[in-house]
Amino acid sequence: AIDPIDGTVNMSRGMPMFGMQGVFMEGGVPKASVIALPELSGTYEASAEGAFLDGTRIRTADPRPLRECILSTGDFSRRSEDYRLMQARLMSDCRDTVARFKMFGAACVDFAYLASGRTDIHVRFVNKIWDFMPGMFLAEMAGAVYDRDLLAETGILIMCSSRPVLDDALSEILPRITSSCRR
């Protein structure tokens, strides 16, 4: 799956948060991915050997309390009112739960920054495989973790730098955002 320009609106407006990304999959399983951020920080690559930025191994951030975490989230969903409500709830009801929210406007930046330890949590309501799979694989190869059942059952991805951060996010953030869901 390839996304030739992720963050098209950013690019068209002269903002540097855009890139190209792709993932190679066999039987639905990612084997390698690449994200190029030409205006930001270089080329990220992932395989079974790990995650790399311009050939140098990268890792996610060390665990820290949620109140010290930077959380990124994708743009507001245009396809699902439930997802829009959950994202609004995330930003309003969890504002004091984490240190800062970031909305970069490009999944490639969200995942590259999680993989390289610049952010701690990424929340995304997934739909198109080319939007999330290249970066999700990169972040996972850098040490990020997520709840596979949650993603499969709800389409909600809460990907974190470590297991302790994920456990905190699942107990403190997930219940707040899903309380607005009408399912």
Side-chain angles (χ1 to χ4, degrees), residues 1-7 11 17-23 33-39 42-44 106 108-109 130 134-135:
I2 296 174
D3 190 350
I5 304 287
D6 182 44
M11 187 184 81
M17 286 92 44
F18 68 90
M20 291 72 66
Q21 60 181 355
V23 63
S33 71
V34 65
I35 293 176
L37 303 179
E39 299 288 327
T43 302
Y44 295 80
C108 58
V109 175
W130 58 83

Side-chain angles (χ1 to χ4, degrees), residues 7-30:
T8 310
V9 172
N10 289 350
M11 187 184 81
S12 72
R13 299 282 182 101
M15 291 184 258
M17 286 92 44
F18 68 90
M20 291 72 66
Q21 60 181 355
V23 63
F24 171 72
M25 299 175 73
E26 283 184 341
V29 177

Side-chain angles (χ1 to χ4, degrees), residues 6-147:
D6 182 44
T8 310
V9 172
N10 289 350
M11 187 184 81
S12 72
R13 299 282 182 101
M15 291 184 258
M17 286 92 44
F18 68 90
M20 291 72 66
Q21 60 181 355
V23 63
F24 171 72
M25 299 175 73
E26 283 184 341
V29 177
K31 299 293 184 181
S33 71
V34 65
I35 293 176
L37 303 179
E39 299 288 327
L40 292 175
S41 55
T43 302
Y44 295 80
E45 301 171 62
S47 67
E49 296 174 11
F52 302 86
L53 170 57
D54 293 331
T56 301
R57 184 176 294 278
I58 57 173
R59 298 285 306 155
T60 56
D62 290 334
R64 62 187 83 190
L66 281 182
R67 287 185 166 271
E68 296 177 17
C69 288
I70 296 175
L71 182 151
S72 73
T73 185
D75 290 331
F76 282 91
S77 174
R78 292 177 181 243
R79 299 180 76 192
S80 167
E81 186 176 347
D82 279 344
Y83 286 167
R84 280 191 302 276
L85 290 170
M86 283 189 270
Q87 194 160 10
R89 178 85 59 176
L90 171 69
M91 300 195 80
S92 65
D93 290 3
C94 299
R95 69 185 177 279
D96 294 327
T97 305
V98 297
R100 294 282 188 270
F101 286 99
K102 302 294 178 188
M103 190 179 287
F104 299 114
C108 58
V109 175
D110 289 315
F111 286 112
Y113 281 11
L114 176 63
S116 58
R118 295 176 183 167
T119 62
D120 305 282
I121 303 167
H122 179 59
V123 177
R124 172 166 298 275
F125 306 100
V126 300
N127 55 8
K128 301 174 203 133
I129 195 166
W130 58 83
D131 273 341
F132 70 90
M133 190 56 74
M136 192 169 95
F137 182 68
L138 170 75
E140 190 171 19
M141 293 299 99
V145 295
Y146 64 100
D147 185 318

Side-chain angles (χ1 to χ4, degrees), residues 136-174:
M136 192 169 95
F137 182 68
L138 170 75
E140 190 171 19
M141 293 299 99
V145 295
Y146 64 100
D147 185 318
R148 294 176 189 281
D149 293 334
L150 175 67
L151 177 61
E153 293 167 13
T154 67
I156 300 170
L157 175 65
I158 299 177
M159 193 167 215
C160 299
S161 59
S162 65
R163 186 83 227 176
V165 174
L166 177 62
D167 291 343
D168 289 347
L170 292 174
S171 68
E172 295 187 41
I173 294 173
L174 181 62

